[in-house]
Every structure is written in structure tokens, then in C-alpha cells.
Amino acid sequence: KNQVEQSPQSLIILEGKNCTLQCNYTVSPFSNLRWYKQDTGRGPVSLTIMTFSENTKSNGRYTATLDADTKQSSLHITASQLSDSASYICVVSARDYKLSFGAGTTVTVRA
Amino acid sequence: DSGVTQTPKHLITATGQRVTLRCSPRSGDLSVYWYQQSLDQGLQFLIQYYNGEERAKGNILERFSAQQFPDLHSELNLSSLELGDSALYFCASSARGTGDSGNTIYFGEGSWLTVV
């Protein structure tokens, strides 16, 4: 069964600090991995999309990494801002068009 | 604004009733996806359509059905509603199938369904 596990479930960081979120998956055959940001009660917004051959992709202060061999990805948030408070969802796409969603990591940034 | 439009934004209905949620994809997008997100739960994939045809099916209950019309808008029909069906229902769209890494999926703002 295709699964996506995210850790930690939640974290609290101070404004200006960095943090890293983890995503482990068992989806096969793998097509691509996506990170989404979801504000409470809003629709998810795409941050990055990575394929098998990509190791790192950045979007502003967000940097995603992918190790397709170990089936692990991380999302690093640099110099966090209050607006980064949200749920971050890892989504893995298999080649059969099906998406597998992680449960998300809730990030709370405090002043 | 993602360009994906969902109506209604909020809906309260009684158990046993039937509702229809509507989604207009981004202009030019051929794929439409439906997801359910219950309180404090992750997104659950329900179903995907591509250019009017069902492309992939997830954990969609038999009481639920969906379709995509020739103008590419989609409807999700929920019948014999139960309290546990209360959730935020998202529609998303993309230009092509999800196997394509260049295919960004855009989400609407969701339809809040409360079953009482």
C-alpha cells in the first residue's frame, strides 16, 4: 500500500528561526513529490514539485530535498515568518496518476 | 486566487439528505480532482476526472458520485448524508494527469459541509 509519513506532527518555532519537516514514502512506481502549504480553512497551495532526478528545489525561503533512493524528502523553512504558520503537506504521485497525501505537519511560528 | 471556483462555500444540511457540490476548474485545465478533509484530518483523495472521463478513484463511498461535464466543470453528489460526512470538500484542477511533474495541481477554497 502506498503510504506517506510526515514528521513531526506539529512544531512551534520562534520567528526568524529555521525548521525542517520530514516526509518518508513508500509510493511505487514513483513519479514526483510535491510540497503544499495549507492555511487553516483554505485550499492547499503548491510550493515545490520534484521528480526522481531532482535533489533540491527552492521557492523563496522554502527549500525541498529529495532522496529517491531512501524515499525521503524534507522541506526546510529559512528565517521563518509569522505567515509561515500553516500545515505543510507532502504529496507523492505514482505513475498511475494516483496521489498519496501525508497527514501534514502543523507549523506554528511565534513572535 | 488559484482560479478554481467551488460553490457553495458553506452548506448545512440534515442527515439523510443529498447535496451537490460544484467545481469550475482553471481555464484550460482538463483534470479535476475531489478531496475530502475532515476536521484535523489529512486530505483524502476521492476521485479524478480527465476531459470528462474518470481517471482515478480513491476512497470514495458508494453514496458519493461525481461527474465532469463537456464544459469541464464537475459536480460531486453526496447522498444519504451522515454526520461523519461533515468535512471540507476540495476540488482541484490541473492541465494534465498527475504523472507529469510539470503538472501543477491548483486547489479551490473548498466547500464546507456540515451535516446535522
Side-chain angles (χ1 to χ4, degrees):
Chain A
K1 180 181 178 181
N2 289 335
Q3 288 189 316
V4 179
E5 301 287 339
Q6 290 189 243
S7 62
Q9 185 175 13
S10 63
L11 66 91
I12 300 173
I13 58 173
L14 292 177
E15 188 177 14
K17 298 298 185 182
N18 305 334
C19 67
T20 300
L21 317 179
Q22 300 292 337
C23 173
N24 297 335
Y25 62 92
T26 62
V27 175
S28 181
F30 173 83
S31 175
N32 55 77
L33 184 145
R34 304 157 190 254
W35 282 95
Y36 281 86
K37 177 186 178 186
Q38 184 179 22
D39 293 316
T40 302
R42 305 294 299 276
V45 175
S46 179
L47 294 176
T48 63
I49 302 175
M50 290 185 293
T51 63
F52 181 88
S53 60
E54 295 176 294
N55 300 120
T56 302
K57 184 164 280 191
S58 293
N59 178 357
R61 295 179 297 99
Y62 300 103
T63 299
T65 66
L66 174 65
D67 185 334
D69 292 331
T70 62
K71 297 188 177 181
Q72 295 179 326
S73 176
S74 66
L75 180 69
H76 187 76
I77 305 175
T78 303
S80 61
Q81 300 177 359
L82 297 177
S83 60
D84 293 330
S85 294
S87 178
Y88 293 84
I89 304 169
C90 176
V91 184
V92 183
S93 175
R95 293 186 198 158
D96 61 356
Y97 307 110
K98 290 183 181 177
L99 298 177
S100 297
F101 285 77
T105 294
T106 300
V107 174
T108 303
V109 181
R110 290 189 174 163
Chain B
D1 182 8
S2 67
V4 179
T5 303
Q6 291 188 245
T7 56
K9 286 185 170 32
H10 300 274
L11 186 58
I12 301 174
T13 190
T15 55
Q17 296 299 305
R18 171 190 170 96
V19 299
T20 297
L21 308 181
R22 194 178 190 278
C23 171
S24 294
R26 294 172 71 242
S27 178
D29 282 358
L30 298 179
S31 266
V32 170
Y33 314 76
W34 286 99
Y35 299 90
Q36 179 192 57
Q37 188 173 39
S38 302
L39 191 64
D40 295 332
Q41 297 292 316
L43 284 158
Q44 298 293 322
F45 170 64
L46 296 179
I47 197 164
Q48 176 196 1
Y49 283 83
Y50 180 79
N51 203 21
E53 299 290 327
E54 182 181 305
R55 173 60 67 89
K57 210 167 189 176
N59 302 319
I60 187 167
L61 300 173
E62 287 190 7
R63 299 184 287 107
F64 296 179
S65 65
Q67 55 183 328
Q68 185 180 29
F69 295 87
D71 66 353
L72 301 178
H73 91 272
S74 178
E75 292 181 355
L76 178 66
N77 300 296
L78 315 174
S79 62
S80 302
L81 285 168
E82 302 174 359
L83 295 178
D85 297 328
S86 295
L88 186 55
Y89 290 85
F90 285 107
C91 172
S93 75
S94 66
R96 302 181 294 279
T98 60
D100 180 349
S101 63
N103 188 38
T104 300
I105 299 172
Y106 297 89
F107 285 78
E109 292 301 313
S111 291
W112 284 94
L113 172 65
T114 302
V115 182
V116 297

